[in-house]
Coordinates of all heavy atoms in Angstrom, one line a residue:
N1 N 46.3 67.8 128.1 CA 45.4 68.9 128.6 C 45.1 69.9 127.5 O 45.9 70.6 127.0 CB 46.1 69.6 129.8 CG 45.1 70.5 130.5 OD1 43.9 70.5 130.3 ND2 45.7 71.2 131.5
T2 N 43.9 69.8 127.0 CA 43.5 70.7 125.9 C 42.8 71.9 126.5 O 42.1 71.9 127.5 CB 42.5 70.0 124.9 OG1 41.3 69.7 125.6 CG2 43.1 68.8 124.3
T3 N 43.1 73.0 125.8 CA 42.5 74.3 126.2 C 41.4 74.6 125.3 O 41.6 74.7 124.1 CB 43.5 75.4 126.2 OG1 44.6 75.0 127.0 CG2 43.0 76.7 126.7
E4 N 40.2 74.9 125.8 CA 39.1 75.3 125.1 C 39.3 76.7 124.6 O 39.6 77.6 125.4 CB 37.7 75.2 125.9 CG 37.4 73.8 126.3 CD 36.8 73.0 125.1 OE1 36.1 73.6 124.2 OE2 37.0 71.8 125.1
P5 N 38.9 77.1 123.4 CA 39.0 78.5 123.0 C 38.0 79.4 123.7 O 36.9 78.9 124.0 CB 38.6 78.4 121.5 CG 38.1 77.2 121.2 CD 38.5 76.2 122.3
T6 N 38.4 80.5 124.0 CA 37.4 81.5 124.8 C 36.5 82.0 123.8 O 36.9 82.6 122.8 CB 38.3 82.6 125.5 OG1 39.2 82.0 126.3 CG2 37.4 83.6 126.2
V7 N 35.2 81.9 124.1 CA 34.2 82.6 123.2 C 33.6 83.7 123.9 O 33.1 83.7 125.0 CB 33.0 81.5 123.0 CG1 31.9 82.1 122.1 CG2 33.6 80.3 122.2
T8 N 33.7 84.9 123.2 CA 33.1 86.2 123.8 C 31.7 86.3 123.3 O 31.4 86.1 122.1 CB 34.0 87.3 123.3 OG1 35.3 87.1 123.7 CG2 33.5 88.6 123.9
V9 N 30.8 86.5 124.2 CA 29.4 86.6 123.8 C 29.1 88.2 124.0 O 29.3 88.7 125.1 CB 28.5 85.8 124.7 CG1 27.1 86.0 124.4 CG2 28.9 84.2 124.5
E10 N 28.6 88.7 122.9 CA 28.1 90.2 123.0 C 26.9 90.3 123.9 O 26.0 89.4 123.8 CB 27.8 90.6 121.6 CG 27.6 92.1 121.4 CD 27.5 92.4 120.0 OE1 27.0 91.7 119.2 OE2 28.1 93.5 119.6
T11 N 26.9 91.3 124.7 CA 25.7 91.5 125.6 C 25.3 93.0 125.5 O 26.0 93.9 124.8 CB 26.1 91.3 127.1 OG1 27.1 92.3 127.6 CG2 26.7 89.9 127.3
L12 N 24.2 93.4 126.1 CA 23.7 94.7 126.0 C 24.7 95.7 126.7 O 24.7 96.9 126.4 CB 22.3 94.8 126.7 CG 21.2 94.1 125.9 CD1 19.9 94.2 126.7 CD2 21.0 94.8 124.5
D13 N 25.5 95.2 127.6 CA 26.5 96.0 128.2 C 27.5 96.4 127.2 O 28.2 97.5 127.5 CB 27.2 95.3 129.4 CG 26.3 95.1 130.6 OD1 25.2 95.8 130.8 OD2 26.5 94.1 131.3
D14 N 27.7 95.8 126.1 CA 28.6 96.1 125.1 C 28.1 97.2 124.1 O 28.9 97.8 123.3 CB 29.0 94.9 124.2 CG 29.6 93.8 125.1 OD1 30.5 94.2 126.0 OD2 29.3 92.6 124.9
V15 N 26.8 97.5 124.2 CA 26.2 98.4 123.2 C 26.2 99.8 123.8 O 25.8 100.1 124.9 CB 24.7 98.1 123.0 CG1 24.0 99.0 122.0 CG2 24.7 96.6 122.4
P16 N 26.7 100.8 123.0 CA 26.8 102.2 123.6 C 25.4 102.7 123.9 O 24.4 102.4 123.2 CB 27.4 103.0 122.4 CG 28.1 102.0 121.6 CD 27.3 100.7 121.8
E17 N 25.2 103.5 125.0 CA 23.9 104.0 125.4 C 23.2 104.7 124.3 O 22.0 104.6 124.2 CB 24.2 104.9 126.6 CG 22.9 105.4 127.3 CD 22.1 104.3 127.8 OE1 22.5 103.3 128.3 OE2 20.8 104.4 127.8
H18 N 23.9 105.5 123.5 CA 23.2 106.2 122.5 C 22.5 105.4 121.4 O 21.6 105.7 120.9 CB 24.2 107.3 121.7 CG 25.2 106.6 120.8 ND1 26.3 106.1 121.2 CD2 25.2 106.5 119.5 CE1 27.0 105.6 120.3 NE2 26.3 105.8 119.1
V19 N 23.1 104.2 121.2 CA 22.5 103.2 120.3 C 21.2 102.7 120.9 O 20.1 102.6 120.2 CB 23.5 102.0 120.0 CG1 22.8 100.9 119.3 CG2 24.8 102.6 119.3
L20 N 21.2 102.3 122.2 CA 20.0 101.9 122.8 C 18.9 102.9 122.8 O 17.8 102.6 122.6 CB 20.4 101.4 124.2 CG 21.3 100.2 124.4 CD1 21.6 99.9 125.8 CD2 20.7 99.0 123.7
R21 N 19.3 104.1 123.1 CA 18.4 105.3 123.1 C 17.7 105.5 121.7 O 16.6 106.0 121.6 CB 19.0 106.5 123.6 CG 19.1 106.6 125.2 CD 19.5 108.0 125.7 NE 20.5 108.7 124.9 CZ 21.8 108.7 125.1 NH1 22.3 108.1 126.1 NH2 22.6 109.3 124.4
G22 N 18.5 105.3 120.8 CA 18.1 105.6 119.4 C 17.3 104.5 118.7 O 16.7 104.6 117.6
L23 N 17.1 103.4 119.4 CA 16.3 102.3 118.7 C 14.8 102.7 118.7 O 14.3 103.3 119.6 CB 16.3 101.1 119.6 CG 17.7 100.3 119.6 CD1 17.6 99.1 120.6 CD2 18.0 99.7 118.2
P24 N 14.2 102.5 117.6 CA 12.7 102.7 117.4 C 12.0 101.9 118.5 O 12.4 101.0 119.0 CB 12.4 102.2 116.1 CG 13.7 102.2 115.3 CD 14.7 101.9 116.3
E25 N 10.8 102.4 118.8 CA 9.9 101.9 119.9 C 9.8 100.3 119.8 O 9.7 99.7 120.8 CB 8.6 102.6 120.0 CG 7.7 102.1 121.1 CD 6.4 102.9 121.0 OE1 6.4 104.1 120.7 OE2 5.4 102.3 121.4
D26 N 9.5 99.8 118.6 CA 9.2 98.4 118.5 C 10.4 97.6 118.0 O 10.2 96.5 117.4 CB 8.1 98.4 117.5 CG 6.8 98.9 118.1 OD1 6.5 98.7 119.2 OD2 6.1 99.7 117.3
V27 N 11.6 98.0 118.3 CA 12.8 97.3 117.9 C 13.6 97.0 119.1 O 13.8 97.9 120.0 CB 13.7 98.1 116.8 CG1 14.9 97.4 116.5 CG2 12.9 98.3 115.6
R28 N 14.1 95.8 119.3 CA 14.9 95.4 120.4 C 16.2 94.7 120.0 O 16.3 94.2 118.9 CB 14.1 94.4 121.3 CG 12.7 94.9 121.8 CD 13.0 96.0 122.9 NE 11.7 96.4 123.5 CZ 11.0 97.5 123.0 NH1 11.5 98.2 122.1 NH2 9.9 97.8 123.6
L29 N 17.1 94.6 120.9 CA 18.3 93.9 120.6 C 18.3 92.5 121.5 O 18.0 92.7 122.7 CB 19.6 94.6 121.0 CG 19.8 95.9 120.2 CD1 21.1 96.6 120.7 CD2 20.0 95.6 118.8
F30 N 18.4 91.4 120.8 CA 18.4 90.1 121.5 C 19.5 89.2 120.8 O 20.0 89.6 119.8 CB 17.0 89.4 121.3 CG 15.8 90.0 122.0 CD1 14.8 90.5 121.3 CD2 15.9 90.2 123.4 CE1 13.7 91.2 122.0 CE2 14.8 90.8 124.1 CZ 13.7 91.3 123.4
P31 N 19.8 88.1 121.4 CA 20.8 87.2 120.8 C 20.4 86.9 119.3 O 19.2 86.8 119.0 CB 20.8 86.0 121.6 CG 20.3 86.5 122.9 CD 19.4 87.6 122.7
S32 N 21.3 87.0 118.4 CA 21.1 86.8 117.0 C 20.7 85.4 116.7 O 21.1 84.5 117.3 CB 22.5 87.1 116.2 OG 22.3 86.7 114.9
A33 N 19.9 85.3 115.7 CA 19.5 83.9 115.2 C 20.5 83.3 114.4 O 20.5 82.1 114.1 CB 18.0 84.0 114.5
V34 N 21.4 84.2 113.8 CA 22.4 83.7 112.9 C 23.7 83.3 113.7 O 24.3 82.3 113.4 CB 22.8 84.7 111.9 CG1 23.9 84.4 111.0 CG2 21.5 85.1 111.1
D35 N 24.1 84.2 114.7 CA 25.3 83.9 115.4 C 25.0 84.2 116.9 O 24.9 85.3 117.3 CB 26.4 84.9 114.9 CG 27.7 84.7 115.6 OD1 27.8 84.1 116.7 OD2 28.7 85.3 115.2
K36 N 24.9 83.0 117.7 CA 24.4 83.2 119.1 C 25.3 84.0 119.9 O 25.1 84.4 121.1 CB 24.2 81.8 119.7 CG 23.2 81.0 119.0 CD 21.8 81.7 119.2 CE 20.7 80.8 118.6 NZ 19.5 81.4 118.3
T37 N 26.6 84.3 119.5 CA 27.5 85.1 120.3 C 27.4 86.5 120.0 O 28.0 87.4 120.7 CB 29.0 84.7 119.9 OG1 29.3 85.1 118.6 CG2 29.2 83.3 120.2
R38 N 26.5 87.0 119.1 CA 26.3 88.4 118.8 C 24.8 88.8 119.1 O 24.0 87.9 119.2 CB 26.5 88.6 117.2 CG 27.9 88.2 116.7 CD 29.1 89.1 117.3 NE 28.8 90.6 117.2 CZ 29.1 91.2 116.0 NH1 29.7 90.7 115.0 NH2 28.9 92.5 116.0
L39 N 24.6 90.1 119.1 CA 23.3 90.6 119.3 C 22.7 90.8 117.9 O 23.4 91.1 116.9 CB 23.2 91.9 120.0 CG 23.6 91.8 121.5 CD1 23.8 93.2 122.1 CD2 22.7 90.9 122.3
G40 N 21.4 90.6 117.8 CA 20.6 90.9 116.6 C 19.5 91.9 116.8 O 19.1 92.1 117.9
V41 N 19.0 92.4 115.8 CA 17.9 93.4 115.8 C 16.6 92.7 115.5 O 16.5 92.1 114.5 CB 18.2 94.6 114.8 CG1 17.1 95.5 114.9 CG2 19.6 95.2 115.1
W42 N 15.7 92.8 116.5 CA 14.4 92.1 116.3 C 13.3 93.1 116.5 O 13.3 94.1 117.3 CB 14.3 91.1 117.5 CG 15.3 90.0 117.4 CD1 16.6 90.1 117.8 CD2 15.1 88.7 116.9 NE1 17.2 88.9 117.7 CE2 16.3 88.1 117.0 CE3 14.0 88.1 116.2 CZ2 16.5 86.7 116.5 CZ3 14.2 86.8 115.8 CH2 15.4 86.1 115.9
A43 N 12.3 93.0 115.7 CA 11.0 93.8 115.7 C 10.0 93.1 116.6 O 9.8 91.8 116.5 CB 10.5 94.0 114.3
T44 N 9.4 93.8 117.5 CA 8.4 93.3 118.4 C 7.0 93.2 117.7 O 6.0 92.7 118.3 CB 8.3 94.0 119.7 OG1 8.0 95.4 119.4 CG2 9.6 93.9 120.5
K45 N 6.9 93.9 116.6 CA 5.7 93.9 115.8 C 6.0 94.2 114.3 O 7.1 94.6 114.0 CB 4.6 94.8 116.3 CG 4.8 96.3 116.1 CD 3.7 97.1 116.6 CE 3.9 98.7 116.2 NZ 2.8 99.4 116.6
S46 N 5.2 93.9 113.4 CA 5.4 94.1 112.0 C 5.8 95.5 111.7 O 5.3 96.4 112.2 CB 4.2 93.7 111.2 OG 3.9 92.3 111.3
I47 N 6.8 95.6 110.8 CA 7.3 96.9 110.3 C 6.8 97.1 108.9 O 7.0 96.2 108.0 CB 8.8 97.1 110.3 CG1 9.4 96.8 111.7 CG2 9.3 98.3 109.8 CD1 10.8 96.8 111.9
L48 N 6.0 98.2 108.6 CA 5.5 98.4 107.3 C 6.6 98.6 106.3 O 7.7 99.2 106.5 CB 4.6 99.6 107.3 CG 3.4 99.5 108.2 CD1 2.6 101.0 108.3 CD2 2.5 98.4 107.8
K49 N 6.3 98.0 105.1 CA 7.3 98.2 103.9 C 7.5 99.7 103.7 O 6.5 100.4 103.7 CB 6.7 97.5 102.7 CG 7.6 97.5 101.5 CD 6.9 96.8 100.4 CE 7.9 96.8 99.1 NZ 7.3 96.0 98.1
G50 N 8.7 100.1 103.4 CA 9.0 101.4 103.2 C 9.4 102.3 104.5 O 9.7 103.4 104.3
K51 N 9.1 101.7 105.6 CA 9.4 102.4 106.9 C 10.9 102.9 106.9 O 11.8 102.0 106.5 CB 9.1 101.5 108.0 CG 9.4 102.2 109.4 CD 8.4 103.2 109.8 CE 8.6 103.6 111.2 NZ 7.7 104.7 111.6
K52 N 11.2 104.1 107.2 CA 12.6 104.6 107.3 C 13.0 104.8 108.7 O 12.2 105.2 109.6 CB 12.7 105.8 106.5 CG 12.5 105.6 105.0 CD 12.9 106.7 104.2 CE 12.6 106.3 102.8 NZ 13.3 107.1 101.8
F53 N 14.3 104.5 109.0 CA 14.8 104.7 110.4 C 16.0 105.6 110.2 O 16.7 105.6 109.2 CB 15.2 103.4 111.0 CG 14.1 102.4 111.2 CD1 13.9 101.4 110.3 CD2 13.4 102.5 112.3 CE1 12.9 100.5 110.5 CE2 12.3 101.5 112.5 CZ 12.1 100.6 111.5
G54 N 16.4 106.3 111.2 CA 17.6 107.2 111.1 C 17.6 108.2 112.2 O 16.6 108.3 113.0
P55 N 18.7 108.9 112.3 CA 19.8 108.8 111.4 C 20.7 107.6 111.7 O 20.7 107.2 112.8 CB 20.6 110.1 111.6 CG 20.3 110.5 113.0 CD 18.9 109.9 113.2
F56 N 21.4 107.1 110.7 CA 22.3 106.0 111.0 C 23.6 106.6 111.6 O 24.2 107.5 111.2 CB 22.7 105.4 109.5 CG 23.8 104.3 109.7 CD1 23.5 103.1 110.2 CD2 25.1 104.6 109.3 CE1 24.4 102.1 110.4 CE2 26.0 103.7 109.4 CZ 25.7 102.4 110.0
V57 N 24.0 105.9 112.7 CA 25.2 106.2 113.4 C 26.1 105.1 113.3 O 25.8 104.0 113.8 CB 24.9 106.6 114.9 CG1 26.2 106.9 115.6 CG2 24.0 107.8 114.9
G58 N 27.2 105.2 112.6 CA 28.2 104.1 112.5 C 28.9 104.2 111.2 O 28.9 105.2 110.5
D59 N 29.5 103.1 110.8 CA 30.2 102.9 109.6 C 29.6 102.1 108.6 O 29.2 101.0 108.9 CB 31.7 102.3 109.8 CG 32.5 103.2 110.8 OD1 32.5 104.5 110.7 OD2 33.2 102.7 111.6
K60 N 29.2 102.6 107.5 CA 28.6 101.9 106.4 C 29.6 100.9 105.8 O 30.8 101.3 105.6 CB 28.0 102.7 105.3 CG 26.8 103.5 105.8 CD 26.1 104.2 104.7 CE 24.9 105.0 105.2 NZ 24.2 105.6 104.2
K61 N 29.3 99.6 105.6 CA 30.2 98.6 105.0 C 29.6 98.0 103.8 O 28.4 97.9 103.6 CB 30.4 97.5 106.1 CG 31.0 97.9 107.4 CD 32.5 98.2 107.2 CE 33.0 98.6 108.7 NZ 34.3 99.0 108.6
K62 N 30.4 97.7 102.8 CA 29.9 96.9 101.7 C 29.7 95.5 102.2 O 30.2 95.0 103.2 CB 31.0 96.9 100.6 CG 31.3 98.3 100.0 CD 32.3 98.3 99.0 CE 32.6 99.7 98.4 NZ 33.7 99.7 97.5
R63 N 28.8 94.9 101.4 CA 28.5 93.4 101.8 C 29.7 92.5 101.8 O 29.8 91.7 102.7 CB 27.4 92.9 100.8 CG 26.9 91.6 101.2 CD 25.8 91.1 100.2 NE 24.6 91.8 100.3 CZ 23.5 91.6 100.9 NH1 23.6 90.6 101.8 NH2 22.5 92.4 101.0
S64 N 30.7 92.8 101.0 CA 31.9 92.0 101.0 C 32.8 92.2 102.2 O 33.7 91.5 102.4 CB 32.7 92.3 99.7 OG 33.1 93.7 99.7
Q65 N 32.5 93.3 103.0 CA 33.3 93.6 104.2 C 32.8 93.0 105.4 O 33.4 93.1 106.5 CB 33.4 95.1 104.3 CG 34.2 95.8 103.2 CD 34.1 97.3 103.4 OE1 33.1 97.9 103.3 NE2 35.2 97.9 103.6
V66 N 31.6 92.4 105.4 CA 31.0 91.9 106.6 C 30.9 90.4 106.6 O 30.9 89.8 105.6 CB 29.7 92.5 107.0 CG1 29.8 93.9 107.2 CG2 28.7 92.3 105.8

């Protein structure tokens, strides 16, 4: 009898309300194209080069930490 590992899938219910409220108008959270168990950030229309978003709320990580 083998036991399948439990896979946790991230949902919008896992995202704090302030994060959802802070998303720009044309940005949405949907399942990631890289990891289907996680949410990814998707643009619903083109974002102009140089566009700035903020303020950033969270912990900045080095590339080697993610």
Side-chain angles (χ1 to χ4, degrees):
N1 191 7
T2 61
T3 304
E4 295 285 327
T6 302
V7 176
T8 302
V9 177
E10 192 173 36
T11 68
L12 289 176
D13 292 334
D14 300 318
V15 179
E17 185 62 34
H18 73 276
V19 171
L20 295 174
R21 283 194 315 265
L23 288 174
E25 183 178 324
D26 297 314
V27 174
R28 302 285 185 268
L29 297 179
F30 292 119
S32 170
V34 177
D35 180 348
K36 298 296 185 198
T37 66
R38 303 291 311 271
L39 293 174
V41 180
W42 296 83
T44 58
K45 68 179 189 179
S46 295
I47 298 173
L48 297 175
K49 183 177 180 177
K51 178 77 173 177
K52 294 190 180 199
F53 300 97
F56 174 75
V57 178
D59 299 321
K60 291 187 179 184
K61 302 285 185 185
K62 295 180 182 176
R63 192 177 288 268
S64 63
Q65 294 175 298
V66 293

